[in-house]
Amino acid sequence: MDQYEYIRTAQRVYGTNISELARQTGNSRNTIKKALRGEAWGYSEREQQLFPVLGPYRTIIEEWLKKDKDQPKKQRHTARRVYNRLKTEQGYQGSESNVRRYVRMVQMELGLDIAGQAFIACEPEAGQEAEVDWGTATAVVGGEKVRLKFFCMRSKYSGKHFVRFYPCERQQAFFDAHIQSFSFFGGIFPVLIYDNLTTAVRKILLGKRRIEQESFSKFKAYYSFTARFCNADSGNEKGGVEGLVGFARRNYMVPVPEAESLEELNEKLLADCLSYGSHKMASRSESVADLFEGEKAHLLEQPNIAFSNTRPGDARVDKYATIMVDKNRYSVPWKYAGRRLKTIVHVDRVEIFADGKRLAVHERLFANNKWSLAPEHYLDLIQQRPMSFASARVIRQWREHWPQSLHQLLTNFCHIQGETKGIKDFIAVLMLYSRYQADEVETAVELALEKNLSSSEGVRHLLIYANEQIVPIAQLADWSSLPSPDLSLYGVLGGVQ
């Protein structure tokens, strides 16, 4: 560039001729003339890129990539895979950069995965669309490490989101998550975007057509929103909530969250969701919280009564006085063995009825082959068969949570009364749990041990008098009192005086 400027200035300003300029700069006369005729020039690009080392392998690469057009997207050749195959199978000695450059050229010619590299900028309307997805995370609940699912719903316009933990992704959890989300957002988005999850879609047809689950169609109609499903294997069509799954896991679940119950865990998550929104998203002039406040007015109003998210059914009580619901067992009083009872399954509990009377309520189990046994359903039967006490499943499960005082009382009863009578009498103490609070029974047991009481009647009386209110007896007003007795007369009777 310096010589170009010197040549033009010397000739145009000072009149130096071409021969003198050629002598001064060391360039040929033709080069001097070229500089005087036009603008500065540089290296020109080749009309055709040469691949001297890769050349013999170009046909092989093209064949591999052409076959990829008929293969699944996730099982097609990458540039790295092409390079490794050329090295191991064909003895290629060239550089990887040349392979990458040529693979890119061929992919563009064949139209392989080029559209996936370009994106369309969108501006969603306020309060019109939200995206839905599930994620998985580990948490510590009640001291036990468990694998939980978390539901995510995100507004496409404001970016405000809602996250909630559930033990599973079953349909009742799916519906409950929607109900909780609508309450959080203060309304319903007219359009919700999903992938093809089985709790909503029964069958995928050609294009955008879907056969929905009947219960999901009823739920959707009740809340008056439209479901839009992504193409198969196209999670990028709801990229906002896909990103939210990772964001929630990194920000709300690190370190691994701990709580005594799932409800407590969800309260912490709710606080995180409420506090989210002080920042501004890219290309937005307002914060997430401000956008969400303006969006609320565009949401559909919620029904006055929430959707009845229950599943009625019936089941026969087996010989173990349990009924089977979703591959798990729930106990009922043993006298109902063999009868068919009604069940109502909620998202978090199972209710069991007989003749319109509620017999039992159990916390719902979500694994398989689990037993939820209430001790009061079996104590009468075990008292009739005391030798089954030690091995009874319900007692073995319950004993893990007993205080030490109950273990000591059982030992004392068996030592004083003998094993059979001692167990029967101890079961009578356990029956008191159905009539009194657990802490009251355990306090009475500790007092019974302190006073060396050796029967259930002693414990029962302690409970009775512990809960009995002492009513003071007031003195009678205007009641004439008798004269003080003369005790000396007794001495006359006895011959003392």
Side-chain angles (χ1 to χ4, degrees):
M1 183 60 69
D2 291 341
Q3 282 195 349
Y4 175 79
E5 182 180 4
Y6 176 80
I7 291 170
R8 290 184 65 85
T9 303
Q11 200 276 335
R12 289 166 57 81
V13 177
Y14 300 103
T16 307
N17 60 40
I18 293 175
S19 299
E20 181 64 19
L21 288 172
R23 186 184 63 78
Q24 292 177 1
T25 61
N27 294 314
S28 68
R29 291 170 59 85
N30 288 337
T31 301
I32 301 298
K33 292 177 181 178
K34 185 176 180 180
L36 294 174
R37 282 198 303 267
E39 297 182 5
W41 67 93
Y43 293 106
S44 58
E45 294 185 6
R46 294 175 180 171
E47 294 183 1
Q48 185 176 1
Q49 179 65 41
L50 301 178
F51 294 95
V53 179
L54 188 63
Y57 306 96
R58 290 166 65 179
T59 304
I60 297 173
I61 295 173
E62 290 171 5
E63 289 179 359
W64 289 347
L65 296 180
K66 285 179 181 177
K67 291 180 180 179
D68 277 354
K69 297 186 74 173
D70 300 324
Q71 304 303 324
K73 287 185 178 181
K74 294 184 178 181
Q75 290 179 261
R76 294 177 178 176
H77 283 85
T78 61
R80 168 61 62 88
R81 179 60 182 151
V82 170
Y83 172 69
N84 288 336
R85 285 192 66 184
L86 288 177
K87 281 181 61 180
T88 57
E89 299 176 17
Q90 306 295 330
Y92 174 67
Q93 300 295 321
S95 67
E96 184 178 352
S97 60
N98 279 335
V99 174
R100 288 183 173 277
R101 189 179 303 113
Y102 187 68
V103 166
R104 182 62 178 167
M105 291 171 54
V106 176
Q107 285 179 333
M108 291 184 65
E109 292 176 2
L110 297 177
L112 288 172
D113 201 29
I114 303 303
Q117 309 302 319
F119 301 89
I120 299 174
C122 298
E123 292 186 1
E125 293 185 37
Q128 294 301 307
E129 296 179 336
E131 300 169 332
V132 174
D133 203 2
W134 286 96
T136 306
T138 298
V140 178
V141 180
E144 182 181 355
K145 183 175 286 188
V146 293
R147 196 75 169 162
L148 296 175
K149 301 292 183 179
F150 60 93
F151 174 89
C152 298
M153 182 180 288
R154 178 184 182 273
S155 166
K156 288 191 69 174
Y157 172 76
S158 66
K160 190 69 172 177
H161 61 243
F162 174 77
V163 183
R164 184 176 175 85
F165 276 119
Y166 286 92
C168 65
E169 294 183 23
R170 294 179 184 173
Q171 194 170 70
Q172 282 184 294
F174 183 59
F175 291 168
D176 183 75
H178 279 73
I179 296 169
Q180 299 292 337
S181 298
F182 298 153
S183 177
F184 173 81
F185 286 109
I188 304 166
F189 291 90
V191 178
L192 294 180
I193 303 171
Y194 305 90
D195 52 19
N196 298 283
L197 63 176
T198 55
T199 49
V201 177
R202 184 158 59 91
K203 187 175 182 180
I204 302 175
L205 303 178
L206 187 64
K208 292 289 186 179
R209 296 172 59 208
R210 302 289 187 273
I211 298 178
E212 297 178 352
Q213 299 285 2
E214 183 180 356
S215 51
F216 176 72
S217 297
K218 293 178 181 178
F219 179 81
K220 184 183 68 171
Y222 187 82
Y223 283 101
S224 306
F225 67 86
T226 300
R228 194 168 76 214
F229 300 99
C230 299
N231 290 312
D233 302 321
S234 299
N236 58 290
E237 294 180 6
K238 54 179 180 60
V241 76
E242 294 281 347
L244 170 59
V245 170
F247 175 88
R249 190 184 291 118
R250 292 188 300 270
N251 291 273
Y252 301 158
M253 302 163 201
V254 176
V256 174
E258 299 183 25
E260 287 302 315
S261 65
L262 193 62
E263 291 74 17
E264 182 182 340
L265 206 61
N266 280 324
E267 287 177 5
K268 295 179 180 178
L269 264 184
L270 179 60
D272 289 331
C273 293
L274 290 171
S275 62
Y276 174 85
S278 59
H279 66 288
K280 296 179 181 179
M281 294 189 296
S283 73
R284 296 296 182 90
S285 59
E286 298 179 74
S287 68
V288 170
D290 291 337
L291 290 172
F292 177 59
E293 285 299 319
E295 184 178 40
K296 287 182 179 179
H298 300 276
L299 300 177
L300 298 177
E301 187 177 349
Q302 299 182 74
N304 294 328
I305 302 174
F307 184 78
S308 177
N309 190 23
T310 59
R311 193 182 77 222
D314 56 62
R316 184 175 295 280
V317 182
D318 62 17
K319 62 183 179 180
Y320 300 112
T322 62
I323 63 170
M324 184 80 76
V325 176
D326 292 336
K327 300 182 181 180
N328 293 304
R329 295 177 182 270
Y330 300 89
S331 69
V332 298
W334 64 273
K335 294 180 180 179
Y336 288 87
R339 287 191 56 182
R340 182 166 289 277
L341 304 180
K342 298 294 183 181
T343 61
I344 297 181
V345 181
H346 300 259
V347 68
D348 57 350
R349 67 189 187 278
V350 175
E351 296 181 331
I352 306 170
F353 295 83
D355 302 323
K357 177 185 176 183
R358 188 167 68 179
L359 298 179
V361 180
H362 292 269
E363 182 178 347
R364 188 173 177 184
L365 303 174
F366 291 95
N368 291 332
N369 302 317
K370 298 290 184 180
W371 296 60
S372 177
L373 304 176
E376 62 270 19
H377 294 161
Y378 298 94
L379 291 178
D380 285 341
L381 185 62
I382 296 174
Q383 196 174 40
Q384 298 173 23
R385 305 169 186 176
M387 289 299 97
S388 67
F389 178 84
S391 59
R393 183 192 290 264
V394 62
I395 298 298
R396 293 176 68 88
Q397 289 182 358
W398 195 13
R399 289 183 78 155
E400 296 176 0
H401 308 286
W402 281 359
Q404 183 58 35
S405 58
L406 277 179
H407 293 281
Q408 186 61 48
L409 188 70
L410 173 61
T411 302
N412 291 357
F413 280 14
C414 291
H415 177 72
I416 296 171
Q417 303 180 38
E419 185 178 8
T420 300
K421 290 184 177 179
I423 290 175
K424 286 185 175 182
D425 204 21
F426 180 75
I427 291 174
V429 174
L430 296 180
M431 290 178 179
L432 295 174
Y433 275 91
S434 62
R435 297 170 54 190
Y436 299 94
Q437 297 294 327
D439 58 341
E440 294 177 347
V441 176
E442 290 159 12
T443 300
V445 168
E446 291 173 0
L447 186 57
L449 290 172
E450 183 182 336
K451 302 299 182 181
N452 294 320
L453 301 180
S454 57
S455 71
S456 60
E457 284 300 310
V459 178
R460 186 173 68 85
H461 278 80
L462 289 174
L463 281 168
I464 291 173
Y465 290 110
N467 291 277
E468 188 179 61
Q469 294 183 354
I470 300 176
V471 180
I473 301 175
Q475 294 183 354
L476 296 175
D478 302 328
W479 186 266
S480 59
S481 59
L482 296 173
S484 299
D486 183 4
L487 300 180
S488 62
L489 296 176
Y490 288 98
V492 175
L493 295 173
V496 178
Q497 295 179 354

